Amino acid sequence: ITIIDGFDRFIKDGLWKYSGYGQFKYSISRYIFNFGIRYDKVKYNSTSRFSPRFGFKIILSPLTKINFALGKFFQTPKYWILMNPGNPYPLKNSYTDQAVLGFEHLFSDDMRGTIELYSKKYFNRPIQISDITEDSLDAFLGFLDIGAGRAKGVELFLQKKFSYKWYGTLSYSYSRSEAKDYRNGLEGYYPWDYDFIHGFTLVGGYKINFKD
């Protein structure tokens, strides 16, 4: 009887990551401006990136505000993906371009409601080479940074703080999350891992004073 030894793979490595962040806030009458920038440097994959962010708020009244924000956000791949020995080259940092438009209103001293619309576009997302090839023995071929995706949706949120014996939170979200299809002979987008589409949450409580 011949027993074939098992296959063991142990990967040990490390890297240094440097980052910095600055923010500036300026107000003019009913308008509030926020400017921010972040810097990331990872020598392992020769990354040196600046990520600008911008926010703008209009105070329509003491009870009502409109918010707008956009920015670029870089993220280093998970280390076991970034330093995978099967990668054909050092992977780039993935990043997203994001934009958010929100409306906020205080219905009372203890109740606040918001509605937000958002759009996100993803670039340089790591994908497994085995996901885009027809070879059944390609599990250890590593990753490529060619992935892309997009997400957009709307969120409604209503919060009642604890007062007058009860509190509660109600939220509803509609979103579509899609990834670009790179499989052989295919194109377009397919639903992503967290493409829930509809989400509804209701949490509440009521205080009863048994002493009285």
Side-chain angles (χ1 to χ4, degrees):
I1 298 176
T2 302
I3 300 177
I4 300 175
D5 294 334
F7 176 78
D8 294 324
R9 168 176 281 194
F10 296 96
I11 302 173
K12 183 178 180 181
D13 206 338
L15 59 83
W16 283 93
K17 181 177 181 179
Y18 308 90
S19 62
Y21 178 79
Q23 182 173 335
F24 175 74
K25 183 176 181 180
Y26 185 70
S27 301
I28 304 177
S29 183
R30 298 183 295 113
Y31 308 101
I32 301 176
F33 300 87
N34 280 288
F35 303 92
I37 191 167
R38 178 183 173 89
Y39 175 72
D40 291 281
K41 179 178 177 62
V42 182
K43 188 176 180 180
Y44 185 89
N45 61 357
S46 302
T47 293
S48 181
R49 300 291 186 181
F50 286 96
S51 312
R53 293 94 186 266
F54 171 75
F56 177 56
K57 177 180 292 187
I58 304 175
I59 303 175
L60 300 179
S61 73
L63 303 178
T64 307
K65 303 174 184 177
I66 296 177
N67 303 305
F68 175 73
L70 56 84
K72 187 182 293 290
F73 299 82
F74 282 90
Q75 184 176 25
T76 304
K78 296 178 181 178
Y79 295 157
W80 69 273
I81 294 178
L82 178 63
M83 295 182 288
N84 191 305
N87 297 343
Y89 54 82
L91 303 180
K92 300 176 183 177
N93 280 13
S94 59
Y95 68 95
T96 61
D97 292 331
Q98 303 183 17
V100 181
L101 176 63
F103 178 83
E104 177 182 344
H105 182 72
L106 291 175
F107 295 97
S108 63
D109 292 340
D110 60 352
M111 184 177 292
R112 181 175 69 99
T114 62
I115 179 172
E116 288 189 346
L117 294 89
Y118 65 88
S119 174
K120 302 178 182 180
K121 294 183 178 180
Y122 298 79
F123 304 93
N124 296 134
R125 182 177 64 89
I127 61 173
Q128 284 188 283
I129 297 176
S130 59
D131 289 342
I132 59 175
T133 67
E134 298 178 354
D135 187 353
S136 61
L137 302 176
D138 57 3
F140 297 101
L141 292 183
F143 295 81
L144 298 174
D145 56 13
I146 62 174
R150 61 191 182 189
K152 58 183 178 180
V154 57
E155 296 182 350
L156 291 85
F157 184 77
L158 183 64
Q159 180 183 30
K160 169 73 167 59
K161 293 183 178 180
F162 178 76
S163 62
Y164 303 106
K165 297 186 178 181
W166 71 280
Y167 64 93
T169 297
L170 183 150
S171 66
Y172 168 76
S173 65
Y174 172 82
S175 65
R176 295 308 308 263
S177 179
E178 300 174 314
K180 193 170 184 179
D181 201 339
Y182 287 94
R183 290 173 295 179
N184 290 335
L186 298 176
E187 58 183 17
Y189 290 80
Y190 62 89
W192 220 337
D193 296 340
Y194 299 98
D195 186 39
F196 296 125
I197 303 180
H198 297 283
F200 179 79
T201 303
L202 177 62
V203 179
Y206 185 85
K207 180 180 178 180
I208 300 175
N209 193 337
F210 289 99
K211 180 180 179 181
D212 295 336

